[in-house]
Amino acid sequence: MKVVLFKLNHLGDNIAFVPAVQALRRRCPDWQITVLTTPGAAELYGGPLGPQEVLTCAKRAFDRSYRRPWKLAWWMWTIRRRQPGACLVAFDQGNAAHAVARFSGAKVRIGGNLERIRIAHSLTEEVPNPEDDRPVTWNWRMARALAGSFGRGAEWPDEPPAPDLRHLLAGGRRPAGGRRRVVVHAGASREMNRWPTQRFASVASSLSRDCEVVWIEHGATAGRAPAGTVAAPADSLAALAGCLEGADLFLGNNSGPMHLANALGCPGVAVTGPTAIGWDPYWHRDRWVALRHPDLYCAPCEKLTRELTGCANHASPMACLDYWTEQKVEAACRLQLGRAGGRAP
């Protein structure tokens, strides 16, 4: 049977989806699976548990294809010609994905709905938002429902494992001994999720007195690395994963790179502002701390089922991120490094 999975979104959203894809490959080896995703996330779907086919399109272009009917029609034709027996439409997909699935010819169409979808009967089964409000859980349950529709859902585990991302790693972990290594990624796809880059730079320089600090240069974080750090361009997921492999700590925003570090088992500290609690690190939780304002009335203002368009705190905009000083973040990093073994630097 041929199956098409829709997951056009950012890096972190796709990392939360990979375990579902890999589980379907394990339990349904006779299925021919196609994943439709974004170019920046395509590398995630490699390896022996990856789908047989990956199609890519920029999220914005795909979501807006309904404004250009010929584009939407092309995607409908592209998916329909694959003659899928089933489609899975992830909960964060827009009207275009629901329309393509609806007219794909698939008799089974399973997915989630954030109540913004205007395509009637796009799903034959809707999987509700889970009680823990976590995207990883929601994706996992949608995949279980899809497998169950064809008698393949028996003994499906309740909890998703971390994704197998060994295909991104070159192999050969860092030799034991030497200074501990901290990887700092100061970027995030949305400006509202970014703790100021200069504050990250200050913490990175301070930690470099005792640790080897790798400063990831990518997008808005490109440029001269902070004093005492080592610059590492990350022009691919494999390059970023190589920097994270064997690291003693990751420091960054609540972002795609943070979720990659978490999935790879790297300990970490995430400076978290308005992001929904469901996006806190999902795996290896004993190795992670998500820094959130302890008692801010409006935080977190993002909800999994509601798109965030601006700061709700007009009296003190972005107070959730401003709360975290360089000293507080550095202290959290040193505490995590101490927990990893030995004395904190």
Side-chain angles (χ1 to χ4, degrees):
M1 187 180 70
K2 298 178 181 179
V3 179
V4 177
L5 313 180
F6 293 80
K7 192 62 177 181
L8 293 115
N9 216 326
H10 301 297
L11 174 61
D13 304 83
N14 275 275
I15 291 170
F17 192 65
V18 171
V21 178
Q22 294 182 340
L24 289 172
R25 280 299 313 275
R26 285 193 187 98
R27 294 173 177 275
C28 310
D30 55 319
W31 288 8
Q32 296 294 309
I33 298 177
T34 295
V35 170
L36 179 53
T37 188
T38 49
E43 283 183 89
L44 292 172
Y45 296 103
L49 293 176
Q52 287 86 353
E53 181 183 37
V54 177
L55 303 177
T56 64
C57 182
K59 172 178 169 54
R60 185 180 180 88
F62 189 88
D63 287 348
R64 294 193 169 193
S65 62
Y66 67 89
R67 296 183 178 181
R68 297 181 176 181
W70 61 93
K71 288 287 187 181
L72 186 59
W74 185 87
W75 277 112
M76 288 179 176
W77 173 81
T78 297
I79 299 303
R80 190 177 181 87
R81 69 191 292 263
R82 283 164 171 75
Q83 300 180 327
C87 290
L88 189 157
V89 187
F91 69 90
D92 52 2
Q93 301 302 279
N95 286 290
H98 279 259
V100 173
R102 172 68 177 83
F103 297 102
S104 67
K107 301 299 183 183
V108 174
R109 301 182 301 278
I110 290 174
N113 189 340
L114 293 180
E115 301 178 356
R116 297 192 298 267
I117 303 305
R118 301 188 297 273
I119 309 300
H121 310 298
S122 63
L123 300 177
T124 58
E125 180 181 345
E126 183 176 326
V127 179
N129 184 16
E131 56 280 357
D132 67 359
D133 219 30
R134 284 184 170 263
V136 177
T137 306
W138 204 349
N139 293 325
W140 187 248
R141 291 184 181 178
M142 285 186 286
R144 180 174 64 187
L146 177 62
S149 295
F150 297 93
R152 307 290 185 91
E155 300 182 0
W156 189 282
D158 290 332
E159 297 290 331
D164 184 345
L165 300 176
R166 285 175 291 181
H167 62 280
L168 294 178
L169 302 174
R173 295 178 64 86
R174 179 169 54 101
R179 297 202 303 169
R180 280 177 282 186
R181 180 154 54 94
V182 177
V183 177
V184 180
H185 191 297
S189 59
R190 293 191 306 176
E191 185 177 356
M192 288 187 66
N193 290 349
R194 298 176 198 152
W195 196 52
T197 302
Q198 64 270 24
R199 296 189 185 183
F200 275 116
S202 176
V203 175
S205 291
S206 184
L207 290 174
S208 71
R209 297 196 301 266
D210 309 290
C211 303
E212 176 192 355
V213 178
V214 178
W215 178 267
I216 301 297
E217 292 190 323
H218 181 72
T221 65
R224 185 175 180 180
T229 69
V230 178
D235 54 0
S236 68
L237 289 183
L240 179 57
C243 292
L244 293 167
E245 186 178 18
D248 296 285
L249 188 76
F250 170 88
L251 170 61
N253 297 298
N254 197 314
S255 63
M258 180 276 284
H259 291 291
L260 180 62
N262 174 242
L264 290 171
C266 177
V269 172
V271 186
T272 303
T275 311
I277 293 176
W279 282 113
D280 282 357
Y282 190 90
W283 300 285
H284 315 293
R285 298 180 198 179
D286 58 322
R287 307 179 197 173
W288 278 81
V289 58
L291 299 178
R292 289 185 177 275
H293 194 296
D295 56 6
L296 192 62
Y297 77 93
C298 58
C301 56
E302 181 188 61
K303 306 297 181 185
L304 190 59
T305 55
R306 186 184 70 213
E307 185 177 3
L308 185 63
T309 57
C311 181
N313 191 335
H314 300 295
S316 183
M318 300 309 299
C320 52
L321 283 178
D322 287 343
Y323 173 82
W324 296 105
T325 63
E326 293 95 323
Q327 293 76 19
K328 289 177 181 177
V329 173
E330 181 180 348
C333 290
R334 292 185 179 277
L335 182 60
Q336 285 298 95
L337 286 167
R339 287 172 178 166
R343 297 170 54 190

